[in-house]
């Protein structure tokens, strides 16, 4: 069993460490970030209730851009880099990145989809009479597949790897397995985001 | 690493989610036309059945870290109930009613239970500390 402890004491070699283990010092869900999430959610609810074009467009475009960029960057750029890092470096990077992802991704996805649905209702683009209805349905399908992958694989792996790292003696094999699952899922989602870009630019230019 | 034998909880959970997603896409792609509710109802029932079977199979796993499962599930449930409520609000805001509203609301309940269960299972399956 590979065992990993706090970064300064981490040994890349398998086997138990001489020093007594202690859990890494990080928050699985950063509490300060919850306040920012709450503000964004209140603004999102206000935008949907108000049903005006600009706030809905803002949330959908800003949220969608953030979602696409994060998925592409994480899956296609950062993922392979993390895979080549040493175990202590990977642990340190993971404990800094993953708690933020726990808050960022659900917030960005909720803002994009909720405002997107309201925007399509406002503009009438979700009606069967809309000339590009097929493209809209295609976007539903892409988002549906992405949602199942993200909710079923990515998000659970994200949380589980943080719980593993919080243990006094994290299991390197488990972390490796969960991180691979996270990175591969993010890579697939990144590629699927390219389909979203094609569909959304087609809809915006028609 | 020795590991217990687990049912295919993640695969079945994702399948259950996929069924309600298909139902949701089917309903939303027919707005505002009248649409037969047979397919979405069948998908919803199948999704709920898969979720129930999944949790039943998990209950039979000896020594499963239920303490850790419920510790994670309760917070995840709070978060996903909130997102489900947001989606429900968007439906109500757009005057959705009748059969489609009932089906989509029940689908959201399946979603709000299934996703926390998936997260909690992934954490608890690797837990070897909590025996409370």
């Amino acid at each position: 069993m590979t065992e990993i402890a706090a970064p300064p004491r981490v040994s890349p070699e398998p086997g138990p460490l001489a020093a007594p283990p202690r859990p890494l010092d990080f928050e699985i869900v950063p509490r300060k970030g919850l306040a920012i999430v709450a503000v964004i959610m209140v603004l999102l609810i206000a935008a949907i209730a108000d049903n005006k074009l600009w706030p809905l467009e803002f949330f959908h475009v800003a949220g969608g851009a953030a979602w696409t960029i994060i998925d592409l960057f994480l899956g296609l750029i950062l993922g392979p880099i993390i895979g080549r890092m040493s175990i202590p470096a990977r642990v340190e990077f993971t404990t800094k990145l993953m708690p933020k992802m726990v808050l960022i991704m659900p917030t960005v996805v909720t803002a994009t989809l909720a405002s997107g649905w309201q925007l399509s209702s406002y503009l009438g683009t979700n009606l069967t009479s809309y000339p590009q209805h097929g493209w809209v349905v295609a976007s539903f399908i892409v988002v549906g597949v992405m949602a199942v992958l993200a909710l079923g694989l990515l998000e659970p792996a994200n949380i589980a790897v943080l719980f593993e790292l919080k243990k006094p003696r994290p299991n390197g094999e488990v972390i490796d397995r969960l991180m691979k699952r996270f990175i591969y899922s993010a890579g697939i989602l990144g590629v699927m985001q390219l389909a979203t870009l094609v569909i959304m630019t087609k809809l915006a230019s028609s | 690493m020795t590991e217990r034998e687990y049912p295919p909880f993640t695969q079945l959970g994702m399948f259950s989610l996929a069924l309600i997603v298909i139902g949701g896409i089917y309903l939303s792609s027919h707005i505002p036309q009248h649409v037969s509710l047979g397919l979405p109802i069948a998908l919803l029932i199948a999704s709920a059945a898969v979720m129930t079977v999944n949790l039943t199979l998990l209950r039979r796993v000896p020594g499963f870290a239920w303490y850790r499962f419920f510790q994670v599930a309760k917070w995840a449930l709070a978060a996903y109930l909130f997102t489900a409520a947001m989606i429900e609000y968007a439906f109500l805001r757009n005057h959705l009613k009748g059969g489609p509203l009932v089906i989509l609301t029940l689908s959201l309940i399946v979603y709000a239970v299934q996703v926390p269960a998936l997260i909690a299972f992934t954490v608890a399956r690797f837990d070897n500390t909590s025996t409370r």
Side-chain angles (χ1 to χ4, degrees), chain B residues 48-120:
Chain B
V50 170
M51 185 175 75
T52 308
V53 167
N54 211 9
L55 289 167
T56 308
L57 289 173
L58 190 61
R59 272 188 60 190
R60 292 181 181 170
V61 176
F64 182 65
W66 286 107
Y67 164 75
R68 186 67 76 202
F69 181 90
F70 287 115
Q71 183 196 31
V72 175
K74 69 179 178 191
W75 290 107
L77 184 68
Y80 281 90
L81 275 176
F82 178 79
T83 61
M86 284 283 299
I87 300 169
E88 182 76 6
Y89 171 64
F91 292 154
L92 296 173
R93 178 72 184 77
N94 291 294
H95 314 294
L96 188 70
K97 54 191 171 197
L101 179 63
V102 173
I103 291 168
L104 289 172
T105 303
L106 292 173
S107 299
L108 283 176
I109 293 171
V110 173
Y111 151 87
V113 174
Q114 185 66 79
V115 177
L118 280 165
I119 294 171

Side-chain angles (χ1 to χ4, degrees), chain A residues 9 30 47 55 85 103 111 115 121 141 151 153 165-166 174 185 204:
Chain A
R9 298 185 294 108
M85 281 176 162
L103 290 184
S115 60
S121 300
I141 294 168
L151 296 171
L153 290 177
L165 283 166
K166 267 284 186 191
V174 168
S185 307

